[in-house]
Amino acid sequence: MLGDIYAISNLVTGIIIQLLGIFVITRNYRSHSNRIFLIFCFVISAWMYALCFMYYFGTTVSSAIRWSKYVNIGICFSPALSYHFIITFLNIKKRQWVLYLSYVLGILFLFFVFDNKMLDGVYKYSWGYFPRHGQYHPLFMSYLFAQSLYTLYLLYDRYRYRL
C-alpha cells in the first residue's frame, strides 16, 4: 500500500512536468529553446512515469529490474538535454562540441543500462523495489555532477556578464 503512494506521487510529478513543457511550447512553438525544453520535460516525465510503474507494477524482482531499466533511460539523457536547453536559451554557439559529447555519453550510458553495468539488481523495501546501482553508476554520477556544474557556471557567467 505504501508503494502506491510513491507511485502516485511520481505519476503526479510526471504529469505536472509534462504540462509545464506543454505550457511553455504553447507560448512560442517556433522558439528553438522552447522545443528543447518540451523534449526535456517529456524525458523527465517519462522518467517519473517509469518510476511510477516500477513502484506499482514491479511486484517481482524481474519486473522491478525491467522497470528500473526504463527509469534509467530518462536519467541518461537528462544532463545532455538540460545543457542543450541552457545553451539554446542563452544563445551560446561556441560550445557545441560539449553538446555533442553529452549526447554521445548519454547513448553510451544507455548501452550500459541495458548491458547491466549501470544496474545491479534491485533492493527490496517494505514499500517496494528500488534499483541497485552497478559498477558504472559512479562514473555516470561524476558525469552528471560535472555537467550540472558546467551548466550552472554558464548560467552564472551570463548573469554576471549582464550585470
Side-chain angles (χ1 to χ4, degrees), residues 14 28 42 48 55 67 85 95 98 105 123 149 153 158:
N28 184 0
F42 277 13
M48 293 295 108
Y55 290 139
W67 282 110
F85 168 69
R95 294 184 173 94
V98 177
L105 287 173
Y123 294 109
L149 280 180
Y153 166 76
R158 184 58 59 99

Side-chain angles (χ1 to χ4, degrees), residues 6-157:
Y6 290 106
I8 291 170
S9 65
N10 283 302
L11 177 66
V12 170
T13 303
I15 291 170
I16 291 170
I17 292 170
Q18 197 168 10
L19 289 174
L20 176 64
I22 291 169
F23 173 77
V24 168
I25 198 69
T26 59
R27 297 296 164 227
N28 184 0
Y29 65 89
R30 292 187 177 152
S31 168
H32 187 61
S33 62
N34 287 11
R35 286 182 277 162
I36 297 300
F37 185 74
L38 176 69
I39 295 168
F40 177 64
C41 286
F42 277 13
V43 166
I44 298 300
S45 62
W47 171 15
M48 293 295 108
Y49 296 146
L51 268 175
C52 168
F53 295 151
M54 185 182 74
Y55 290 139
Y56 194 75
F57 296 117
T59 55
T60 64
V61 172
S62 63
S63 66
I65 289 172
R66 184 172 7 103
W67 282 110
S68 66
K69 288 182 180 187
Y70 295 135
V71 167
N72 279 275
I73 292 172
I75 294 171
C76 287
F77 289 105
S78 61
L81 282 165
S82 65
Y83 177 75
H84 193 170
F85 168 69
I86 292 301
I87 65 167
T88 305
F89 181 73
L90 298 177
N91 200 22
I92 297 174
K93 304 280 188 210
K94 60 185 174 183
R95 294 184 173 94
Q96 294 294 318
W97 67 271
V98 177
L99 177 63
Y100 299 132
L101 178 63
S102 297
Y103 280 114
V104 167
L105 287 173
I107 292 168
L108 181 67
F109 284 115
L110 184 64
F111 283 125
F112 291 156
V113 166
F114 288 100
D115 195 28
N116 296 326
K117 302 274 194 248
M118 288 274 286
L119 300 169
D120 188 23
V122 290
Y123 294 109
K124 172 78 169 131
Y125 294 107
S126 61
W127 43 266
Y129 292 99
F130 192 79
R132 183 178 356 181
H133 304 302
Q135 64 187 21
Y136 287 176
H137 194 265
L139 184 63
F140 174 75
M141 292 306 294
S142 300
Y143 158 63
L144 176 65
F145 184 71
Q147 185 77 9
S148 299
L149 280 180
Y150 186 59
T151 303
L152 287 172
Y153 166 76
L154 291 176
L155 284 168
Y156 173 74
D157 189 51

